[in-house]
Amino acid sequence: MNKQILEISNLSVSIGNDTIIDNISMDFHWKKITTILGPSGCGKTTLIRCINRMHELIPHARVSGSILLFKKNIYEMNPILVRREIGMVFQRPNPFPTMSIYDNVIAGYKLNGIKLGSAEKDNIVETSLCRAGLWSEVKDALHRRGAFLSGGQQQRLCIARALAMKPRILLLDEPTSALDPKSTGHIEDLVSELKESVTIIMVTHNIRQASRISDFTAFLSKGELVEYGSTEKLFTVPEDKRTEEYLSRSAG
Amino acid sequence: MPSVSKRLATDLLFKGVLGLATVILFIPLIMILYYIIVNGAGAISWAFLTSLPKPPGEIGSGIGNAIVGSAILICIACTISVPIGVGVGVFLSEKPTHTIAKMVRICLEILQGIPSIVIGIISYLWVVLPMGGFSALSGGIALSLMMLPLVIRSTEETLKLIPQSLKEASLGLGVPYYRTMTKIIIPAGRPGISTGIILGISRVAGETAPLLFTAFGNPFLTFNIMKPVNSLPSLIYNYATSPYSDWQQAAWGASLVLILFLFTLSLIARTISTR
């Protein structure tokens, strides 16, 4: 049905003696938005961190199972290459504080020591900022530090920074939880536009957000994948009682 | 319960005691500075800073060789302790629970507790004896041993305060670990690390004991790190204990120079760390 971009099979994660993710298998759909929904502590952040191997920063985390990116197991790939294919935007905007807006956008190239001509750099910066919907707001301040930007603008700068590396998958870890409603709206619109070009996997605990923008929704509870399907179906006729309870309780 | 007025009076008394303690701290500090300035200011002139020491009684004697010697010793100490210290500090902040990190911390505490004269003897055994003579190099090594714990600690403490999110941002872009550390994390901690280095320098710049059997002292000017060199603290020690009044005067002058140098360093450290 879909191009197999990312397949998770039998993924389990434990940190120390605690099981965080319990035997999850799921496929993601090409150029769609998939949200991962669930109560706090259900393992949703851990799950998407596994997808670009950022969980390796957590001490004592153990992973079993496999994640295939275009049929290649990411745990057998170099994490650096995995992360260039799978970009990530974090919960709190984290632009590099000492760099200008311009340098933040091309940071991925600069820090990796990839040499670019200045025209090419200008081009990447402009395209990425345009795609992140930030270009018109910052085009006159490209060489200023990003610190004067609002939280929402900083988050879009982080999205631009991730897009600049031309990833095929973009992971968003509760990208709006630290933002006000207006900035949240901006990011949601932006994410909906981005699915034209990238596959988006987004973690959220905001049910309305999931229903507004996503094509597919996965519901996680206590490290278990309870239900996964099209957003429309999951929100209207959930199969599992736990999903139904979560949706009705949170909506009310 | 005691009356309100009694409690207010106790309050006042408590505040008074705090104020008094602060004033008492100032008295010796101001007296030290006063003595050094009154006795030393007269000795300082351009010639004093640039000329070489002369036998007692001759005019135009100076401390140029000691200033150069101190500078050489500090450079050697930094060359050794900064790269090693920053490296160890990064390791400690990255792997705080690693067995080696725990051992390193214990070693640091011991190293910090070793009396400076003993550090001088160690450097004497390591460098002076095998090389067959006193040298600036051996003095610099002794000073670097004293500086090392300070550089390591300040690097570790600074890097611990750098948000994890910065590291994630960089790693998330597919930047290798070593580049994340050298291009993002260490630069982000640069103010704190530099402050630690400067404080380390001011700690060792005034040391005499580790230099007694290492840099030894030299009445002449030399830039050769394999030769003994003079330094401000050893010059002060030798001149102040001499029976000649003009040498004692020079010791005051050198003390003032040293104090001004340390004062400047702490000002720089303050400016960097509050920026």
Side-chain angles (χ1 to χ4, degrees):
Chain A
M1 97 186 144
N2 277 294
K3 201 167 156 187
Q4 296 299 316
I5 178 161
L6 191 71
E7 300 158 76
I8 298 182
S9 38
N10 306 102
L11 186 79
S12 293
V13 182
S14 58
I15 298 176
N17 292 325
D18 302 320
T19 305
I20 308 296
I21 301 245
D22 190 10
N23 201 17
I24 285 184
S25 298
M26 62 194 290
D27 294 352
F28 290 94
H29 302 265
W30 174 242
K31 290 189 181 175
K32 295 281 182 211
I33 300 173
T34 306
T35 52
I36 297 169
L37 197 63
S40 305
C42 69
K44 50 193 193 301
T45 293
T46 309
L47 176 63
I48 75 159
R49 282 180 171 247
C50 286
I51 297 175
N52 70 344
R53 297 184 59 171
M54 290 297 281
H55 69 278
E56 285 165 23
L57 294 182
I58 309 167
H60 312 298
R62 267 179 301 118
V63 172
S64 64
S66 68
I67 298 180
L68 302 182
L69 172 70
F70 295 112
K71 306 283 179 201
K72 267 176 32 200
N73 191 345
I74 63 161
Y75 292 112
E76 284 157 16
M77 287 167 72
N78 187 323
I80 292 161
L81 297 176
V82 174
R83 290 172 193 155
R84 284 186 201 167
E85 294 271 347
I86 308 178
M88 186 157 194
V89 175
F90 298 85
Q91 206 162 340
R92 296 196 161 272
N94 56 357
F96 298 119
T98 55
M99 292 186 191
S100 67
I101 294 175
Y102 188 96
D103 288 338
N104 256 293
V105 178
I106 51 162
Y109 293 92
K110 234 177 140 176
L111 295 174
N112 277 309
I114 301 167
K115 294 266 180 295
L116 295 173
S118 65
E120 209 175 342
K121 275 197 268 188
D122 291 347
N123 187 16
I124 290 173
V125 169
E126 185 172 345
T127 337
S128 310
L129 285 172
C130 282
R131 288 174 76 192
L134 195 60
W135 175 250
S136 60
E137 291 159 58
V138 300
K139 64 174 188 286
D140 300 319
L142 288 178
H143 293 285
R144 284 177 64 188
R145 287 186 183 184
F148 73 94
L149 296 175
S150 72
Q153 288 174 320
Q154 288 190 16
Q155 192 62 300
R156 278 181 282 152
L157 178 58
C158 293
I159 295 178
R161 182 176 64 188
L163 290 174
M165 298 306 286
K166 305 188 178 76
R168 288 199 265 193
I169 299 177
L170 189 61
L171 306 175
L172 302 160
D173 182 5
E174 298 188 28
T176 60
S177 64
L179 303 180
D180 62 83
K182 190 166 169 252
S183 312
T184 302
H186 263 297
I187 305 261
E188 287 181 7
D189 294 344
L190 168 65
V191 169
S192 310
E193 281 164 32
L194 284 176
K195 73 169 174 178
E196 305 284 319
S197 45
V198 283
T199 302
I200 289 169
I201 302 172
M202 185 165 102
V203 161
T204 183
H205 54 226
N206 182 335
I207 296 182
R208 296 217 181 95
Q209 185 169 63
S211 70
R212 271 195 300 265
I213 62 173
S214 67
D215 302 298
F216 294 90
T217 300
F219 175 65
L220 251 65
S221 176
K222 292 175 188 159
E224 208 184 308
L225 180 64
V226 174
E227 194 166 344
Y228 176 41
S230 82
T231 302
E232 209 186 329
K233 184 175 166 298
L234 191 130
F235 273 84
T236 48
V237 278
E239 276 170 16
D240 198 287
K241 241 183 72 188
R242 284 171 290 178
T243 317
E244 200 181 329
E245 263 172 27
Y246 180 75
L247 292 177
S248 60
R249 197 171 345 139
S250 307
Chain B
M1 180 184 268
S3 68
V4 172
S5 61
K6 195 175 170 200
R7 277 184 282 161
L8 284 178
T10 319
D11 233 17
L12 213 60
L13 184 70
F14 182 70
K15 284 177 186 165
V17 168
L18 294 185
L20 194 66
T22 317
V23 172
I24 289 174
L25 166 79
F26 270 110
I27 295 171
L29 199 66
I30 288 171
M31 277 167 69
I32 292 170
L33 284 178
Y34 174 79
Y35 274 115
I36 292 175
I37 292 170
V38 164
N39 292 306
I44 292 184
S45 65
W46 182 246
F48 178 73
L49 296 177
T50 51
S51 351
L52 295 181
K54 298 212 168 107
E58 280 187 39
I59 38 170
S61 175
I63 57 165
N65 63 334
I67 293 177
V68 170
S70 272
I72 293 173
L73 289 169
I74 289 170
C75 284
I76 298 171
C78 286
T79 313
I80 299 168
S81 66
V82 169
I84 299 178
V86 172
V88 175
V90 169
F91 174 74
L92 291 183
S93 81
E94 285 295 294
K95 296 271 176 212
T97 54
H98 198 281
T99 323
I100 295 176
K102 287 176 189 159
M103 279 159 55
V104 167
R105 280 200 196 91
I106 296 171
C107 292
L108 279 181
E109 266 164 40
I110 297 170
L111 185 60
Q112 240 172 345
I114 295 177
S116 53
I117 187 87
V118 177
I119 289 196
I121 296 171
I122 292 167
S123 180
Y124 179 80
L125 291 175
W126 283 359
V127 191
V128 176
L129 284 184
M131 294 197 4
F134 300 116
S135 62
L137 183 65
S138 61
I141 289 173
L143 294 185
S144 74
L145 282 175
M146 304 202 60
M147 237 180 112
L148 209 48
L150 289 160
V151 177
I152 295 173
R153 278 283 151 77
S154 64
T155 305
E156 185 193 359
E157 296 303 324
T158 307
L159 295 187
K160 267 188 191 161
L161 295 178
I162 292 180
Q164 175 82 358
S165 65
L166 213 55
K167 198 201 233 172
E168 289 178 342
S170 175
L171 291 174
L173 288 170
V175 180
Y177 178 74
Y178 79 97
R179 276 182 176 272
T180 299
M181 294 312 292
T182 53
K183 304 272 176 184
I184 297 291
I185 304 299
I186 295 175
R190 196 175 285 148
I193 297 173
S194 325
T195 307
I197 293 169
I198 291 171
L199 292 178
I201 293 173
S202 40
R203 169 86 181 76
V204 300
E207 281 293 341
T208 323
L211 301 177
L212 290 175
F213 328 106
T214 52
F216 189 68
N218 184 344
F220 305 105
L221 178 69
T222 177
F223 291 96
N224 186 345
I225 60 165
M226 296 306 173
K227 289 267 160 59
V229 290
N230 215 349
S231 62
L232 284 172
S234 11
L235 179 137
I236 295 167
Y237 172 72
N238 289 326
Y239 278 20
T241 51
S242 76
Y244 315 110
S245 66
D246 49 346
W247 274 18
Q248 288 165 7
Q249 170 78 5
W252 282 113
S255 306
L256 183 57
V257 170
L258 188 57
I259 295 266
L260 286 177
F261 174 64
L262 297 180
F263 182 65
T264 317
L265 282 183
S266 77
L267 271 187
I268 296 173
R270 266 176 176 272
T271 332
I272 296 175
S273 61
T274 53
R275 197 167 48 195

